Amino acid sequence: MTSPILDALKALEPQAPDTPLRDSLLLGFDTETTGLAAGRDAIVSASLVLRDPSAGIDGDVHDEWLINPHRPISAGASAVNGFTNEFVAEHGAEPAPALDSIAAIIAAAQCLRIPLVAYNAPFDVDMLGGDLIRWNLQSIDQRITVEGDSPQLLVVDPLVIDRQVSHRPGRRTLTLTSEYYGVYPHGSFHDATTDTVAVLDLISPMATLYPQVGALTLDELMPWQHKAFDSWLQGYNSWAEEHGRRPRHDTWFAA
């Protein structure tokens, strides 16, 4: 398996647990899919980008995949991501080796305490998890088991962070959030690599505008985001009850 990111990871030492987010190496992740249902829908393209904050975007290391999902792309998904069934069938890689590569890179980064960064991270992680099950491949957790211990996936979700600190009205799509933080895409949104770079680009202005975010250590990241997500969900459901809307029962990874 040839991977620029895996090659780069082999030269690195594990990051210390007290490394602050503003100084941490990061692994960005984004997918484009056949639809929205993990386990039923599948990944058609994916991107991973390794970033060293001291080098910025010029030092980014990229891996990307186009995958034949062997299932139809919904009309709605195709309208967003631009992929057609014919195109991915002709040009896409077979799912098992591509998905195995993606999971192996994420696991290798996790073993070095390099957080996985994704906007609305459960969507992309669950999509990958569903595909790994479908093709009888090891889960990410199984790949990062050390001496019988399965460490919790270390994730940075800019959507969860932004909801907690910005308190601005309106929708929080990646496009709108990027505009709020002055991040401009290097390409068109809904291209997996463009979205991955944009998500990584959010971390620096977030850490600068909200120093408490930049100061979060790797050990503090998951508990802080769990608390932030639970606070947002409680607030949303209170609003929904007042306005006759259905409550949400989302989860944000296992605590």
Side-chain angles (χ1 to χ4, degrees):
M1 175 175 57
T2 301
S3 161
I5 293 180
L6 269 183
D7 289 343
L9 292 174
K10 290 175 184 177
L12 300 175
E13 295 294 328
Q15 299 196 113
D18 61 353
T19 302
L21 177 59
R22 62 175 173 266
D23 298 331
S24 175
L25 276 73
L26 304 169
L27 183 66
F29 180 44
D30 188 71
T31 64
E32 299 297 332
T33 63
T34 63
L36 300 177
R40 184 183 71 207
D41 288 302
I43 295 171
V44 295
S45 75
S47 171
L48 288 167
V49 178
L50 179 65
R51 175 166 296 180
D52 181 341
S54 67
I57 190 171
D58 291 338
D60 284 353
V61 185
H62 297 248
D63 276 315
E64 57 185 0
W65 297 262
L66 177 67
I67 300 172
N68 177 2
H70 291 284
R71 58 191 55 226
I73 304 171
S74 71
S78 183
V80 170
N81 60 43
F83 291 115
T84 65
N85 294 313
E86 295 76 16
F87 182 84
V88 296
E90 180 178 356
H91 300 286
E94 283 302 297
L99 297 163
D100 194 50
S101 296
I102 296 168
I105 294 167
I106 293 173
Q110 290 287 305
C111 290
L112 296 171
R113 294 195 192 92
I114 298 176
L116 187 69
V117 185
Y119 199 83
N120 189 24
F123 175 84
D124 297 289
V125 172
D126 288 349
M127 276 290 178
L128 177 58
D131 273 354
L132 293 173
I133 291 171
R134 179 180 300 116
W135 295 99
N136 298 312
L137 299 169
Q138 277 190 321
S139 69
I140 294 173
D141 286 348
Q142 289 172 323
R143 295 167 192 259
I144 59 176
T145 298
V146 179
E147 296 182 356
D149 182 30
S150 297
Q152 182 185 47
L153 193 67
L154 180 58
V155 175
V156 176
D157 191 336
L159 175 60
V160 170
I161 294 172
D162 179 60
R163 283 170 172 164
Q164 177 68 15
V165 295
S166 74
H167 304 299
R168 70 183 191 278
R171 298 172 64 214
R172 294 174 191 260
T173 63
L174 176 58
T175 301
L176 293 174
T177 301
S178 295
E179 290 175 358
Y180 177 77
Y181 287 97
V183 168
Y184 297 96
H186 300 268
S188 301
F189 281 119
H190 297 299
D191 167 85
T193 300
T194 298
D195 286 0
T196 305
V197 172
V199 170
L200 288 171
D201 285 347
L202 285 171
I203 302 303
S204 179
M206 281 184 168
T208 301
L209 189 58
Y210 304 104
Q212 70 272 32
V213 171
L216 287 169
T217 68
L218 299 183
D219 269 358
E220 294 170 337
L221 273 171
M222 295 304 287
W224 189 94
Q225 289 176 103
H226 275 293
K227 185 176 180 180
F229 180 84
D230 291 344
S231 175
W232 168 80
L233 186 62
Q234 183 178 1
Y236 176 86
N237 283 340
S238 294
W239 174 88
E241 183 178 1
E242 292 173 1
H243 292 81
R245 303 283 186 90
R246 291 182 178 179
R248 295 178 62 158
H249 302 285
D250 305 34
T251 57
W252 192 84
F253 300 108

